Amino acid sequence: MSRAEAQQAIALGDDALVLGHRLSQWSSRAPTLEEDIALSNLALDLIGQARLFYTLAGEMEGEGRSEDDFAYFRDASAFRNVILVELPNGDFAQTMMRQLLFAAFMHPYFAATAEHATHAGFRDIAAKAVKEMAYHVRHAGDWVIRLGDGTAASHRRTRAALDALWPATGELFEMDADETALAASGVVPDRATLHAPWQATLDRVLGEAGLARPDGDAHTLTGGRRGAHTAHLAPMLEDMQSLARAHPGATW
Amino acid sequence: MYTQALNTKDTSDTSRPGDSARLAVFQATIDAEDKIEANDWMPEAYRRTLVRQISQHAHSEVIGMQPEGNWLTRAPSLRRKAALLAKIQDEAGHGLYLYAAAETLGVRREELYAQLLSGKAKYSSIFNYPTETWADIGVIGWLVDGAAIMNQIPLCRCSYGPYARAMIRVCKEESFHQRQGYEIMLTLCRGTAAQKAMAQDALNRWWWPALMMFGPSDTDSIHSADSVRWKIKRFSNDELRQRFIDATVPQGLHLGLTFPDPALRLDEASGHWQHGEIDWAEFKRVLAGGGPMNAQRLAHRRQTEDDGAWVREAALAFAEKRRQAKVTRVAAE
């Protein structure tokens, strides 16, 4: 069981790190200084969560792997993040839409974990992360509403972002045999139970933004949990890992 | 991160009848070490000097996000990545407080941005150098933030209240950044031979540009007596530079590094470190736009402004729609 638990912690860490890294790419590039600061906040929350999950995974494995071993010394095929978080930032509408789609799922995920999980390691991280994700939903949701109901151009971009990202949302609800077993024993939430709260958040925000929930297939961009990633992840990791890998064994 | 003594003198005279009595009150307030506040009367030259200095400082913070941002996605550990992201975020925050302080003097942030983007407004010359290795992130914290603190500590007592108060908060954060930068250097210097070489190379490249952050030498300075009388400037460029060198050289020696100045030596009699001549031609060239990164820094900023224009327009349009809807709702009730 502890191997499956560690895999779960790694997957949660990978989601957080990859999305946090993507958000950090906005630094000094945001539409306003205030938003630059806000995007850094979101990124810092996620990088912080990744560190906690990797540390937990290392403890569960008991093989001495550190947070940086997980982040810097695995190739793309070993990453277990969902495709949604590795997609490029695109424009500001796409970044905010991706954040909404992800956070609207992770908020109830962490709420359920903090309340019900039988494993203290997951519960403690979730108790902290649930507050952060509430802010992410609010911040990204406010922007999706503003952009959706702003100008014709911003509406068009927001619509395009939703259409582009929708096919990657189904993977948020996928569970393999290990995760299903963990959910059955109460270690992690059953993802299927989170579909209703996720959809309720989306419907509220999209309704105010003047956007309809797409009816297309939400499962065409999938495979990240099995290590089958898009072509976007490897170059992102190569850049991120380049310095650490150039000096193996060094302390920074 | 930092304000630079650019020592441009305001020469235009816009005094009006009746100003002499108000001027006497203004100067007496300053002489008593009280603060001038946004709504107090002030000479136009004082206002313009402050707008120029505060906005240059704000622009420096915002442009200063770029050289460090160059290593953000490649930071070699998650701890360093989070710390660097938080540091750059602090710089954006400093930019915000400083633009807000400038706005109390009757200018708008958009006007100040426009001056930056057109190349009319200056920012610190230090940010026109490239960050070639990770050690540059350490050296920027240690030297550039260290120099910034030397320049800015006296500004916490500046006569203009909103600027002085912004500086108190900025200095606290800068001092944290400086320690963090020194800790990066210490880790590199205790690390592998390659890491130590990286640290030495970074010091070699940044030492002289850091000394230039204090502005022209006092002998060549078109230093304005007004700034001293108005208690905007309390120490000369050379005095501040000397304090910085005296504080920094022992730190570098403790790291086991050497400074790229063969003339550097401790004068036992005065207790001060004497240094070689600064390349003022380089200083003037970089300040005038001829540094290695000037064009790229401004191009990045302009691109960001262009890319974000539709977002800002959408936010304004949305706010206006909501305002109209509220007016209609109130009218209907």
Short mmCIF file of all heavy atoms in Angstrom, two decimals, chain A residues 76-135:
data_model
loop_
_atom_site.label_atom_id
_atom_site.label_comp_id
_atom_site.label_asym_id
_atom_site.label_seq_id
_atom_site.Cartn_x
_atom_site.Cartn_y
_atom_site.Cartn_z
N ALA A 76 10.52 13.40 -18.24
CA ALA A 76 9.08 13.65 -18.45
C ALA A 76 8.26 12.38 -18.31
O ALA A 76 7.18 12.40 -17.72
CB ALA A 76 8.86 14.29 -19.83
N SER A 77 8.78 11.27 -18.81
CA SER A 77 7.96 10.05 -18.79
C SER A 77 7.71 9.54 -17.37
O SER A 77 6.80 8.75 -17.15
CB SER A 77 8.65 8.96 -19.61
OG SER A 77 9.92 8.67 -19.06
N ALA A 78 8.50 10.02 -16.40
CA ALA A 78 8.27 9.61 -15.01
C ALA A 78 7.32 10.57 -14.29
O ALA A 78 6.89 10.29 -13.17
CB ALA A 78 9.60 9.55 -14.27
N PHE A 79 7.01 11.70 -14.91
CA PHE A 79 6.07 12.64 -14.28
C PHE A 79 4.65 12.10 -14.43
O PHE A 79 4.29 11.52 -15.45
CB PHE A 79 6.21 14.04 -14.89
CG PHE A 79 7.26 14.88 -14.18
CD1 PHE A 79 8.60 14.57 -14.31
CD2 PHE A 79 6.90 15.95 -13.36
CE1 PHE A 79 9.57 15.32 -13.63
CE2 PHE A 79 7.85 16.69 -12.69
CZ PHE A 79 9.19 16.38 -12.82
N ARG A 80 3.83 12.33 -13.40
CA ARG A 80 2.47 11.77 -13.35
C ARG A 80 1.39 12.86 -13.31
O ARG A 80 0.26 12.60 -12.90
CB ARG A 80 2.33 10.85 -12.13
CG ARG A 80 3.14 9.56 -12.24
CD ARG A 80 2.56 8.65 -13.33
NE ARG A 80 3.34 7.44 -13.54
CZ ARG A 80 4.32 7.32 -14.44
NH1 ARG A 80 4.64 8.35 -15.23
NH2 ARG A 80 4.96 6.18 -14.58
N ASN A 81 1.75 14.08 -13.71
CA ASN A 81 0.77 15.16 -13.71
C ASN A 81 -0.25 15.00 -14.83
O ASN A 81 0.04 14.37 -15.85
CB ASN A 81 1.47 16.51 -13.89
CG ASN A 81 2.28 16.57 -15.16
OD1 ASN A 81 3.41 16.09 -15.19
ND2 ASN A 81 1.72 17.11 -16.24
N VAL A 82 -1.42 15.60 -14.63
CA VAL A 82 -2.42 15.62 -15.70
C VAL A 82 -1.94 16.56 -16.82
O VAL A 82 -1.18 17.50 -16.57
CB VAL A 82 -3.81 16.09 -15.20
CG1 VAL A 82 -4.43 15.03 -14.28
CG2 VAL A 82 -3.73 17.44 -14.50
N ILE A 83 -2.43 16.27 -18.02
CA ILE A 83 -2.04 17.07 -19.20
C ILE A 83 -2.41 18.55 -19.03
O ILE A 83 -1.68 19.44 -19.44
CB ILE A 83 -2.74 16.51 -20.47
CG1 ILE A 83 -2.36 15.04 -20.69
CG2 ILE A 83 -2.45 17.36 -21.69
CD1 ILE A 83 -0.96 14.78 -21.10
N LEU A 84 -3.58 18.78 -18.40
CA LEU A 84 -4.07 20.16 -18.26
C LEU A 84 -3.00 21.12 -17.76
O LEU A 84 -2.86 22.23 -18.27
CB LEU A 84 -5.27 20.17 -17.29
CG LEU A 84 -5.90 21.54 -17.00
CD1 LEU A 84 -6.57 22.12 -18.25
CD2 LEU A 84 -6.92 21.44 -15.87
N VAL A 85 -2.20 20.70 -16.77
CA VAL A 85 -1.26 21.63 -16.14
C VAL A 85 0.01 21.84 -16.95
O VAL A 85 0.73 22.82 -16.73
CB VAL A 85 -0.89 21.20 -14.70
CG1 VAL A 85 -2.13 21.22 -13.81
CG2 VAL A 85 -0.22 19.83 -14.67
N GLU A 86 0.30 20.92 -17.89
CA GLU A 86 1.54 21.08 -18.64
C GLU A 86 1.35 21.88 -19.92
O GLU A 86 2.33 22.28 -20.56
CB GLU A 86 2.15 19.71 -18.98
CG GLU A 86 1.42 18.96 -20.09
CD GLU A 86 1.83 17.48 -20.16
OE1 GLU A 86 1.99 16.86 -19.09
OE2 GLU A 86 1.97 16.97 -21.27
N LEU A 87 0.09 22.13 -20.31
CA LEU A 87 -0.14 22.88 -21.54
C LEU A 87 0.45 24.28 -21.40
O LEU A 87 0.47 24.84 -20.31
CB LEU A 87 -1.65 22.95 -21.83
CG LEU A 87 -2.30 21.58 -22.09
CD1 LEU A 87 -3.81 21.73 -22.22
CD2 LEU A 87 -1.71 20.93 -23.35
N PRO A 88 0.95 24.84 -22.48
CA PRO A 88 1.59 26.15 -22.38
C PRO A 88 0.62 27.22 -21.86
O PRO A 88 -0.60 27.05 -21.94
CB PRO A 88 2.02 26.45 -23.82
CG PRO A 88 2.03 25.14 -24.52
CD PRO A 88 1.00 24.30 -23.84
N ASN A 89 1.18 28.30 -21.34
CA ASN A 89 0.36 29.36 -20.75
C ASN A 89 -0.62 29.97 -21.74
O ASN A 89 -1.69 30.42 -21.34
CB ASN A 89 1.26 30.46 -20.20
CG ASN A 89 1.95 30.02 -18.92
OD1 ASN A 89 1.44 29.18 -18.17
ND2 ASN A 89 3.13 30.56 -18.66
N GLY A 90 -0.25 30.04 -23.00
CA GLY A 90 -1.09 30.74 -23.96
C GLY A 90 -1.22 32.19 -23.57
O GLY A 90 -0.31 32.76 -22.98
N ASP A 91 -2.39 32.79 -23.85
CA ASP A 91 -2.57 34.18 -23.42
C ASP A 91 -3.11 34.20 -21.98
O ASP A 91 -3.29 33.15 -21.36
CB ASP A 91 -3.46 34.95 -24.41
CG ASP A 91 -4.88 34.39 -24.49
OD1 ASP A 91 -5.25 33.54 -23.64
OD2 ASP A 91 -5.62 34.80 -25.40
N PHE A 92 -3.35 35.39 -21.47
CA PHE A 92 -3.78 35.52 -20.07
C PHE A 92 -5.13 34.82 -19.85
O PHE A 92 -5.36 34.24 -18.78
CB PHE A 92 -3.86 37.01 -19.73
CG PHE A 92 -4.18 37.28 -18.29
CD1 PHE A 92 -3.25 37.00 -17.30
CD2 PHE A 92 -5.40 37.81 -17.92
CE1 PHE A 92 -3.55 37.25 -15.97
CE2 PHE A 92 -5.71 38.06 -16.60
CZ PHE A 92 -4.77 37.78 -15.62
N ALA A 93 -5.99 34.83 -20.87
CA ALA A 93 -7.30 34.17 -20.73
C ALA A 93 -7.10 32.66 -20.55
O ALA A 93 -7.76 32.02 -19.73
CB ALA A 93 -8.16 34.46 -21.95
N GLN A 94 -6.18 32.10 -21.31
CA GLN A 94 -5.95 30.66 -21.23
C GLN A 94 -5.35 30.28 -19.87
O GLN A 94 -5.73 29.28 -19.27
CB GLN A 94 -5.03 30.21 -22.37
CG GLN A 94 -4.81 28.71 -22.35
CD GLN A 94 -4.57 28.12 -23.73
OE1 GLN A 94 -5.07 28.62 -24.72
NE2 GLN A 94 -3.80 27.06 -23.78
N THR A 95 -4.42 31.11 -19.39
CA THR A 95 -3.81 30.85 -18.08
C THR A 95 -4.87 30.89 -16.98
O THR A 95 -4.89 30.04 -16.08
CB THR A 95 -2.70 31.88 -17.80
OG1 THR A 95 -1.64 31.64 -18.72
CG2 THR A 95 -2.17 31.77 -16.39
N MET A 96 -5.75 31.89 -17.03
CA MET A 96 -6.77 32.01 -15.98
C MET A 96 -7.82 30.92 -16.09
O MET A 96 -8.30 30.39 -15.07
CB MET A 96 -7.43 33.39 -16.05
CG MET A 96 -6.57 34.46 -15.44
SD MET A 96 -6.24 34.06 -13.69
CE MET A 96 -4.63 34.75 -13.50
N MET A 97 -8.18 30.54 -17.32
CA MET A 97 -9.16 29.47 -17.50
C MET A 97 -8.58 28.14 -16.98
O MET A 97 -9.26 27.40 -16.27
CB MET A 97 -9.53 29.35 -18.99
CG MET A 97 -10.64 28.35 -19.25
SD MET A 97 -12.19 28.77 -18.40
CE MET A 97 -12.83 30.03 -19.52
N ARG A 98 -7.32 27.88 -17.32
CA ARG A 98 -6.69 26.65 -16.83
C ARG A 98 -6.68 26.63 -15.31
O ARG A 98 -6.96 25.60 -14.67
CB ARG A 98 -5.25 26.59 -17.37
CG ARG A 98 -4.49 25.32 -16.99
CD ARG A 98 -3.05 25.37 -17.50
NE ARG A 98 -2.36 26.53 -16.93
CZ ARG A 98 -1.19 26.99 -17.37
NH1 ARG A 98 -0.58 26.41 -18.39
NH2 ARG A 98 -0.64 28.04 -16.81
N GLN A 99 -6.37 27.79 -14.71
CA GLN A 99 -6.32 27.87 -13.25
C GLN A 99 -7.68 27.59 -12.64
O GLN A 99 -7.79 26.91 -11.63
CB GLN A 99 -5.81 29.27 -12.85
CG GLN A 99 -5.20 29.33 -11.48
CD GLN A 99 -3.95 28.47 -11.41
OE1 GLN A 99 -3.30 28.21 -12.42
NE2 GLN A 99 -3.63 27.99 -10.22
N LEU A 100 -8.72 28.13 -13.28
CA LEU A 100 -10.07 27.91 -12.77
C LEU A 100 -10.44 26.43 -12.88
O LEU A 100 -10.95 25.84 -11.91
CB LEU A 100 -11.07 28.76 -13.57
CG LEU A 100 -12.54 28.50 -13.22
CD1 LEU A 100 -12.85 28.98 -11.80
CD2 LEU A 100 -13.48 29.17 -14.22
N LEU A 101 -10.20 25.84 -14.05
CA LEU A 101 -10.58 24.44 -14.26
C LEU A 101 -9.87 23.53 -13.25
O LEU A 101 -10.45 22.59 -12.71
CB LEU A 101 -10.25 24.01 -15.70
CG LEU A 101 -11.06 24.71 -16.79
CD1 LEU A 101 -10.47 24.38 -18.17
CD2 LEU A 101 -12.54 24.31 -16.73
N PHE A 102 -8.60 23.83 -12.99
CA PHE A 102 -7.81 23.01 -12.06
C PHE A 102 -8.22 23.26 -10.61
O PHE A 102 -8.50 22.33 -9.85
CB PHE A 102 -6.32 23.32 -12.26
CG PHE A 102 -5.41 22.52 -11.37
CD1 PHE A 102 -5.17 21.18 -11.63
CD2 PHE A 102 -4.79 23.09 -10.27
CE1 PHE A 102 -4.32 20.43 -10.81
CE2 PHE A 102 -3.95 22.36 -9.44
CZ PHE A 102 -3.71 21.02 -9.72
N ALA A 103 -8.28 24.53 -10.24
CA ALA A 103 -8.56 24.86 -8.83
C ALA A 103 -9.98 24.49 -8.44
O ALA A 103 -10.23 24.09 -7.29
CB ALA A 103 -8.30 26.35 -8.58
N ALA A 104 -10.92 24.59 -9.37
CA ALA A 104 -12.30 24.23 -9.07
C ALA A 104 -12.40 22.74 -8.76
O ALA A 104 -13.32 22.31 -8.06
CB ALA A 104 -13.22 24.59 -10.24
N PHE A 105 -11.45 21.96 -9.27
CA PHE A 105 -11.39 20.54 -8.89
C PHE A 105 -10.60 20.35 -7.60
O PHE A 105 -11.02 19.64 -6.68
CB PHE A 105 -10.75 19.71 -10.02
CG PHE A 105 -10.57 18.28 -9.61
CD1 PHE A 105 -11.62 17.38 -9.72
CD2 PHE A 105 -9.37 17.83 -9.06
CE1 PHE A 105 -11.48 16.07 -9.29
CE2 PHE A 105 -9.22 16.53 -8.63
CZ PHE A 105 -10.27 15.64 -8.74
N MET A 106 -9.44 20.98 -7.49
CA MET A 106 -8.56 20.72 -6.35
C MET A 106 -9.14 21.25 -5.03
O MET A 106 -8.84 20.72 -3.97
CB MET A 106 -7.16 21.33 -6.57
CG MET A 106 -6.34 20.67 -7.65
SD MET A 106 -6.24 18.84 -7.55
CE MET A 106 -5.37 18.62 -5.99
N HIS A 107 -9.94 22.30 -5.11
CA HIS A 107 -10.51 22.83 -3.86
C HIS A 107 -11.37 21.77 -3.17
O HIS A 107 -11.11 21.43 -2.01
CB HIS A 107 -11.25 24.14 -4.10
CG HIS A 107 -11.84 24.67 -2.85
ND1 HIS A 107 -13.19 24.62 -2.58
CD2 HIS A 107 -11.25 25.21 -1.75
CE1 HIS A 107 -13.40 25.12 -1.37
NE2 HIS A 107 -12.26 25.50 -0.85
N PRO A 108 -12.38 21.20 -3.85
CA PRO A 108 -13.14 20.14 -3.16
C PRO A 108 -12.30 18.88 -2.90
O PRO A 108 -12.55 18.18 -1.91
CB PRO A 108 -14.31 19.84 -4.12
CG PRO A 108 -13.93 20.44 -5.42
CD PRO A 108 -12.98 21.57 -5.13
N TYR A 109 -11.30 18.63 -3.75
CA TYR A 109 -10.42 17.46 -3.51
C TYR A 109 -9.71 17.61 -2.16
O TYR A 109 -9.69 16.70 -1.33
CB TYR A 109 -9.40 17.34 -4.65
CG TYR A 109 -8.45 16.16 -4.49
CD1 TYR A 109 -8.75 14.92 -5.06
CD2 TYR A 109 -7.28 16.28 -3.74
CE1 TYR A 109 -7.90 13.83 -4.89
CE2 TYR A 109 -6.42 15.21 -3.56
CZ TYR A 109 -6.73 13.98 -4.14
OH TYR A 109 -5.89 12.91 -3.97
N PHE A 110 -9.12 18.79 -1.95
CA PHE A 110 -8.39 19.00 -0.69
C PHE A 110 -9.37 19.10 0.50
O PHE A 110 -9.04 18.68 1.60
CB PHE A 110 -7.51 20.24 -0.76
CG PHE A 110 -6.26 20.05 -1.57
CD1 PHE A 110 -5.86 20.99 -2.51
CD2 PHE A 110 -5.45 18.92 -1.39
CE1 PHE A 110 -4.69 20.82 -3.26
CE2 PHE A 110 -4.28 18.75 -2.12
CZ PHE A 110 -3.90 19.70 -3.07
N ALA A 111 -10.54 19.68 0.25
CA ALA A 111 -11.52 19.78 1.34
C ALA A 111 -11.90 18.37 1.82
O ALA A 111 -11.92 18.09 3.03
CB ALA A 111 -12.76 20.53 0.86
N ALA A 112 -12.13 17.48 0.85
CA ALA A 112 -12.50 16.11 1.21
C ALA A 112 -11.33 15.39 1.88
O ALA A 112 -11.51 14.66 2.86
CB ALA A 112 -12.93 15.35 -0.05
N THR A 113 -10.12 15.64 1.37
CA THR A 113 -8.93 15.00 1.96
C THR A 113 -8.72 15.48 3.40
O THR A 113 -8.46 14.68 4.30
CB THR A 113 -7.68 15.31 1.12
OG1 THR A 113 -7.94 14.95 -0.24
CG2 THR A 113 -6.47 14.56 1.63
N ALA A 114 -8.82 16.80 3.58
CA ALA A 114 -8.58 17.37 4.91
C ALA A 114 -9.59 16.81 5.91
O ALA A 114 -9.27 16.59 7.08
CB ALA A 114 -8.66 18.89 4.86
N GLU A 115 -10.79 16.57 5.43
CA GLU A 115 -11.84 16.15 6.35
C GLU A 115 -11.84 14.64 6.60
O GLU A 115 -12.03 14.19 7.72
CB GLU A 115 -13.21 16.58 5.81
CG GLU A 115 -14.26 16.64 6.90
CD GLU A 115 -15.54 17.31 6.41
OE1 GLU A 115 -15.46 18.13 5.46
OE2 GLU A 115 -16.59 16.99 6.96
N HIS A 116 -11.63 13.86 5.52
CA HIS A 116 -11.87 12.42 5.64
C HIS A 116 -10.66 11.50 5.52
O HIS A 116 -10.76 10.33 5.85
CB HIS A 116 -12.88 11.98 4.57
CG HIS A 116 -14.17 12.72 4.61
ND1 HIS A 116 -14.99 12.68 5.71
CD2 HIS A 116 -14.77 13.54 3.71
CE1 HIS A 116 -16.06 13.45 5.48
NE2 HIS A 116 -15.94 13.98 4.27
N ALA A 117 -9.54 12.02 5.00
CA ALA A 117 -8.46 11.09 4.67
C ALA A 117 -7.97 10.37 5.92
O ALA A 117 -7.83 10.97 6.99
CB ALA A 117 -7.31 11.83 4.00
N THR A 118 -7.67 9.08 5.75
CA THR A 118 -7.21 8.31 6.90
C THR A 118 -5.71 8.46 7.12
O THR A 118 -5.19 8.04 8.15
CB THR A 118 -7.52 6.81 6.68
OG1 THR A 118 -6.96 6.43 5.41
CG2 THR A 118 -9.02 6.55 6.67
N HIS A 119 -5.01 9.04 6.14
CA HIS A 119 -3.56 9.21 6.27
C HIS A 119 -3.24 10.65 6.69
O HIS A 119 -3.60 11.61 6.00
CB HIS A 119 -2.91 8.90 4.92
CG HIS A 119 -1.42 8.74 5.02
ND1 HIS A 119 -0.59 9.78 5.33
CD2 HIS A 119 -0.63 7.65 4.85
CE1 HIS A 119 0.66 9.36 5.35
NE2 HIS A 119 0.67 8.06 5.07
N ALA A 120 -2.55 10.78 7.83
CA ALA A 120 -2.29 12.12 8.38
C ALA A 120 -1.45 12.97 7.44
O ALA A 120 -1.61 14.19 7.37
CB ALA A 120 -1.61 11.99 9.73
N GLY A 121 -0.52 12.33 6.71
CA GLY A 121 0.34 13.08 5.79
C GLY A 121 -0.47 13.83 4.74
O GLY A 121 -0.28 15.03 4.52
N PHE A 122 -1.39 13.13 4.11
CA PHE A 122 -2.26 13.77 3.10
C PHE A 122 -3.17 14.81 3.74
O PHE A 122 -3.40 15.88 3.21
CB PHE A 122 -3.12 12.71 2.39
CG PHE A 122 -2.36 11.88 1.39
CD1 PHE A 122 -2.23 10.50 1.57
CD2 PHE A 122 -1.78 12.46 0.27
CE1 PHE A 122 -1.53 9.72 0.65
CE2 PHE A 122 -1.09 11.69 -0.66
CZ PHE A 122 -0.96 10.32 -0.47
N ARG A 123 -3.69 14.44 4.92
CA ARG A 123 -4.65 15.32 5.59
C ARG A 123 -4.01 16.66 5.93
O ARG A 123 -4.61 17.72 5.72
CB ARG A 123 -5.13 14.62 6.87
CG ARG A 123 -6.59 14.83 7.18
CD ARG A 123 -7.09 13.87 8.25
NE ARG A 123 -6.18 13.72 9.37
CZ ARG A 123 -5.81 12.54 9.89
NH1 ARG A 123 -6.28 11.41 9.37
NH2 ARG A 123 -4.99 12.48 10.92
N ASP A 124 -2.78 16.61 6.45
CA ASP A 124 -2.13 17.86 6.88
C ASP A 124 -1.85 18.78 5.70
O ASP A 124 -2.04 19.99 5.78
CB ASP A 124 -0.81 17.54 7.60
CG ASP A 124 -1.05 16.86 8.95
OD1 ASP A 124 -2.21 16.86 9.40
OD2 ASP A 124 -0.07 16.32 9.53
N ILE A 125 -1.36 18.21 4.60
CA ILE A 125 -1.08 19.05 3.43
C ILE A 125 -2.39 19.63 2.90
O ILE A 125 -2.48 20.81 2.57
CB ILE A 125 -0.36 18.25 2.33
CG1 ILE A 125 0.99 17.73 2.84
CG2 ILE A 125 -0.15 19.13 1.09
CD1 ILE A 125 1.70 16.78 1.88
N ALA A 126 -3.43 18.80 2.85
CA ALA A 126 -4.72 19.25 2.31
C ALA A 126 -5.31 20.38 3.15
O ALA A 126 -5.91 21.32 2.61
CB ALA A 126 -5.69 18.08 2.25
N ALA A 127 -5.10 20.32 4.47
CA ALA A 127 -5.66 21.35 5.34
C ALA A 127 -5.09 22.73 5.00
O ALA A 127 -5.78 23.75 5.09
CB ALA A 127 -5.38 21.02 6.81
N LYS A 128 -3.83 22.75 4.59
CA LYS A 128 -3.20 24.01 4.21
C LYS A 128 -3.63 24.37 2.78
O LYS A 128 -3.97 25.52 2.48
CB LYS A 128 -1.68 23.82 4.29
CG LYS A 128 -0.87 24.98 3.78
CD LYS A 128 0.63 24.72 4.02
CE LYS A 128 1.50 25.86 3.51
NZ LYS A 128 1.53 25.94 2.05
N ALA A 129 -3.60 23.38 1.89
CA ALA A 129 -3.82 23.64 0.47
C ALA A 129 -5.26 24.04 0.16
O ALA A 129 -5.51 24.77 -0.79
CB ALA A 129 -3.43 22.40 -0.34
N VAL A 130 -6.21 23.58 0.99
CA VAL A 130 -7.61 23.88 0.68
C VAL A 130 -7.87 25.39 0.74
O VAL A 130 -8.61 25.95 -0.06
CB VAL A 130 -8.57 23.10 1.61
CG1 VAL A 130 -8.49 23.56 3.05
CG2 VAL A 130 -10.00 23.19 1.09
N LYS A 131 -7.19 26.05 1.67
CA LYS A 131 -7.36 27.51 1.78
C LYS A 131 -6.75 28.20 0.56
O LYS A 131 -7.30 29.16 0.03
CB LYS A 131 -6.66 28.02 3.04
CG LYS A 131 -7.28 27.52 4.32
CD LYS A 131 -6.50 28.03 5.53
CE LYS A 131 -6.61 27.06 6.69
NZ LYS A 131 -5.43 27.01 7.53
N GLU A 132 -5.59 27.70 0.15
CA GLU A 132 -4.94 28.30 -1.03
C GLU A 132 -5.81 28.12 -2.27
O GLU A 132 -5.99 29.04 -3.07
CB GLU A 132 -3.56 27.66 -1.22
CG GLU A 132 -2.62 27.99 -0.07
CD GLU A 132 -1.34 27.14 -0.02
OE1 GLU A 132 -1.26 26.10 -0.70
OE2 GLU A 132 -0.43 27.52 0.74
N MET A 133 -6.37 26.92 -2.42
CA MET A 133 -7.17 26.66 -3.61
C MET A 133 -8.46 27.48 -3.64
O MET A 133 -8.95 27.84 -4.70
CB MET A 133 -7.48 25.16 -3.72
CG MET A 133 -6.29 24.35 -4.18
SD MET A 133 -5.72 24.88 -5.83
CE MET A 133 -4.01 25.13 -5.50
N ALA A 134 -8.98 27.80 -2.45
CA ALA A 134 -10.17 28.65 -2.41
C ALA A 134 -9.84 30.01 -3.03
O ALA A 134 -10.62 30.58 -3.80
CB ALA A 134 -10.66 28.82 -0.97
N TYR A 135 -8.65 30.51 -2.71
CA TYR A 135 -8.22 31.78 -3.30
C TYR A 135 -8.00 31.65 -4.81
O TYR A 135 -8.37 32.54 -5.58
CB TYR A 135 -6.94 32.28 -2.59
CG TYR A 135 -6.28 33.44 -3.31
CD1 TYR A 135 -6.87 34.70 -3.33
CD2 TYR A 135 -5.08 33.26 -3.99
CE1 TYR A 135 -6.28 35.75 -4.00
CE2 TYR A 135 -4.47 34.31 -4.67
CZ TYR A 135 -5.07 35.56 -4.67
OH TYR A 135 -4.48 36.60 -5.35
#
